[in-house]
Amino acid sequence: MTVLDASTLPDDTTSHAALASQNLDYGRVATDDRAAFVAWLQADARGFHQPRSTETQLTESVEHLAERRTTGVWDATITDASTPVATVSSWVSSLTVSPERRIPAWAISSVTVAPTHRRRGIARALLEGELRTAAAAGLPLAMLTVTEATIYGRYGFAPAARVTTLDIDRRRVSWRGPRPAGRVQFADPATFAAEASAVSERAALRTPGAVTRPEAHLRHLLGLHDPESESSRQARVVRYDDEHGELQGFAVYRVVRTPPSPGRVEFDELVAATDDAEAALWRFLLEQDFVGSIRAGLRASDELVPWMLDDPRAVATSSASDHLWLRILDVQAALESRRYAAAGRVVIDVDDALGLASGRYELVTDDAGDARVETIDAAREDAPAGDIRLGVGELSALFLGDVRWSALAAAGRLAEETPGVAATLDRLFAPERAPHLGFWF
């Protein structure tokens, strides 16, 4: 898949004009201008209530985030006019839509607006500008992970993959799962990065909702962004090699302990390219000595570990929330990209306030799971009637199969024009695996 260079795309003229009318300057940061990029990075950290970045952190970010499309908004009337009052960054990534099937997607991150400049339409200009840019570039959808769930729905985004946090009482469980033939061993983070990236890509192809992991994220996960920091020195990396000696997965964890009490294993990342690797890494993390509990974050909504223990009640879900949000831009390209569970035909009417995905679409799937989508001119005299009507946000939520069409129908979020069509779509869109994304971006 050829990757589009997002940094070459022009600024959005509509957003530029909207903000210029308020004497605000909208444009991209020259990431090869270190002073300008550092000011943008510090504004980004401020927006997420993070401490000011250290020189080590800034050097790492300048080196590994420079290829992103980095946009800011500046106010020339403030004292510190060189620091943007709003930020956003974006790049072209890939999204797994069905096992072994992925499509290019516009990844959006670093969306901040300074509290001194709220209620001025800045976030709207930033996000709508990103969507128009991605649509003009021919990308089928945009995606992000969000800190506040009430913001992004107004732009057509919707939650499409959930995560849970699991708390496990280690003292109550014994392993009942598979006994893998390979072995788990510790890995040196500095020399493991390239292998970790390769196995992450293979693992991502297994699960709808998985996204290509940015290099900067992988370096942060392995503690390479700031090796002398407390969090980096706490991190332990283990790898799983199968019986043939091939790397099939890894985990990054820490043991948090207040003497003399037993410790707690904490991890957000267990990357597995095979079921065998997933079982092996879980077993290793569960069987640590002098550990009383395990906390696993960002796990899939259908996590398997309760079924691999003798006491599934020892696994408690301490939180469950939305995580990956999608926004379809090209309905035909998006719907034709994934695999379907049955053959069928449905005509779908899509409403989009921004006009990027509005239209009537005929979806035809075959017994092999492939789809053909035709855009229909609804004004045509012989045009087939729509079977179901919904907004682009609802379609984006349904795309990977994380929620059922009949559930949204019962919630009043879509309208069945043909009785029973939501149940038909439930069957068509049933996922082979529950959608899941295991990291933030």
Side-chain angles (χ1 to χ4, degrees):
M1 181 174 64
T2 302
V3 178
L4 174 70
D5 182 357
S7 66
T8 64
L9 300 177
D11 292 341
D12 180 69
T13 55
T14 302
S15 292
H16 186 279
L19 293 173
S21 68
Q22 301 187 56
N23 296 316
L24 297 172
D25 184 21
Y26 163 92
R28 276 176 293 157
V29 176
T31 55
D32 57 354
D33 179 342
R34 193 179 195 281
F37 194 18
V38 164
W40 184 95
L41 289 165
Q42 295 288 25
D44 179 27
R46 179 183 65 191
F48 288 99
H49 305 308
Q50 297 170 346
R52 284 187 293 275
S53 300
T54 66
E55 190 60 32
T56 298
Q57 292 167 339
L58 289 171
T59 299
E60 175 77 10
S61 295
V62 166
E63 181 179 353
H64 291 283
L65 300 180
E67 293 182 358
R68 294 188 181 184
R69 176 187 171 86
T70 305
T71 302
V73 177
W74 292 264
D75 184 345
T77 68
I78 63 176
T79 304
D80 184 12
S82 64
T83 298
V85 298
T87 64
V88 67
S89 67
S90 49
W91 64 99
V92 179
S93 185
S94 63
L95 171 73
T96 302
V97 295
S98 297
E100 304 300 322
R101 291 194 183 188
R102 52 176 29 171
I103 56 173
W106 189 257
I108 300 173
S109 186
S110 303
V111 182
T112 77
V113 178
T116 54
H117 286 68
R118 297 179 67 222
R119 309 294 184 219
R120 296 177 63 174
I122 296 175
R124 178 171 294 278
L126 289 177
L127 286 162
E128 291 185 358
E130 292 295 317
L131 295 176
R132 284 189 290 266
T133 298
L139 291 160
L141 54 82
M143 59 187 182
L144 41 72
T145 54
V146 310
T147 51
E148 294 186 62
T150 57
I151 294 174
Y152 297 95
R154 68 192 73 163
Y155 308 109
F157 287 92
R162 293 166 291 157
V163 291
T164 61
T165 298
L166 303 180
D167 283 298
I168 305 173
D169 186 346
R170 182 200 175 281
R171 294 161 295 191
R172 291 175 54 185
V173 300
S174 295
W175 185 256
R176 290 189 59 186
R179 298 186 178 273
R183 65 174 182 170
V184 176
Q185 54 187 318
F186 285 99
D188 172 48
T191 59
F192 183 59
E195 289 182 282
S197 178
V199 77
S200 291
E201 276 293 277
R202 289 196 288 118
L205 279 168
R206 300 177 74 210
T207 305
V211 173
T212 295
R213 188 187 301 269
E215 181 185 357
H217 177 275
L218 183 63
R219 290 181 59 81
H220 193 279
L221 170 65
L222 296 174
L224 302 178
H225 68 299
D226 191 1
E228 297 306 313
S229 68
E230 183 71 16
S231 61
S232 294
R233 290 187 293 110
Q234 279 188 326
R236 306 293 184 197
V237 181
V238 290
R239 58 183 286 162
Y240 174 72
D241 299 284
D242 64 20
E243 67 270 32
H244 306 295
E246 183 176 353
L247 174 66
Q248 299 292 2
F250 69 94
V252 181
Y253 73 99
R254 69 200 67 84
V255 178
V256 178
R257 179 172 173 257
T258 303
S261 301
R264 180 175 73 185
V265 169
E266 296 182 350
F267 71 94
D268 289 335
E269 293 282 351
L270 189 160
V271 176
T274 63
D275 292 340
D276 182 56
E278 186 166 0
L281 291 166
W282 261 118
R283 185 181 183 191
F284 169 83
L285 293 165
L286 284 161
E287 293 185 346
Q288 299 277 322
D289 288 333
F290 204 47
V291 164
S293 63
I294 293 92
R295 169 162 288 187
L298 299 179
R299 302 307 302 161
S301 59
D302 65 343
E303 180 61 62
L304 295 177
V305 71
W307 296 100
M308 295 190 282
L309 305 175
D310 60 347
D311 183 0
R313 289 190 179 184
V315 183
T317 300
S318 60
S319 69
S321 66
D322 56 82
H323 186 51
L324 175 68
W325 287 54
L326 298 182
R327 205 288 187 192
I328 290 177
L329 301 169
D330 182 332
V331 174
Q332 180 177 5
L335 293 185
E336 286 186 343
S337 69
R338 56 157 292 169
R339 194 158 42 235
Y340 294 84
R345 174 192 172 278
V346 180
V347 178
I348 304 170
D349 284 319
V350 180
D351 299 319
D352 182 355
L354 295 183
L356 300 173
S358 299
R360 178 169 293 176
Y361 304 91
E362 181 183 50
L363 169 68
V364 179
T365 63
D366 61 25
D367 290 328
D370 295 319
R372 175 182 56 80
V373 177
E374 180 184 350
T375 302
I376 296 172
D377 180 0
R380 211 177 65 209
E381 192 170 320
D382 62 344
D387 296 307
I388 199 161
R389 176 175 290 276
L390 75 169
V392 68
E394 285 71 24
L395 182 62
S396 300
L398 293 157
F399 176 56
L400 297 178
D402 188 60
V403 64
R404 292 178 296 110
W405 291 72
S406 56
L408 291 194
R413 296 291 295 269
L414 53 81
E416 282 188 289
E417 307 294 347
T418 300
V421 71
T424 297
L425 286 160
D426 286 347
R427 292 191 293 274
L428 296 185
F429 278 75
E432 297 169 65
R433 293 171 62 94
H436 176 232
L437 172 64
F439 60 90
W440 294 88
F441 64 83

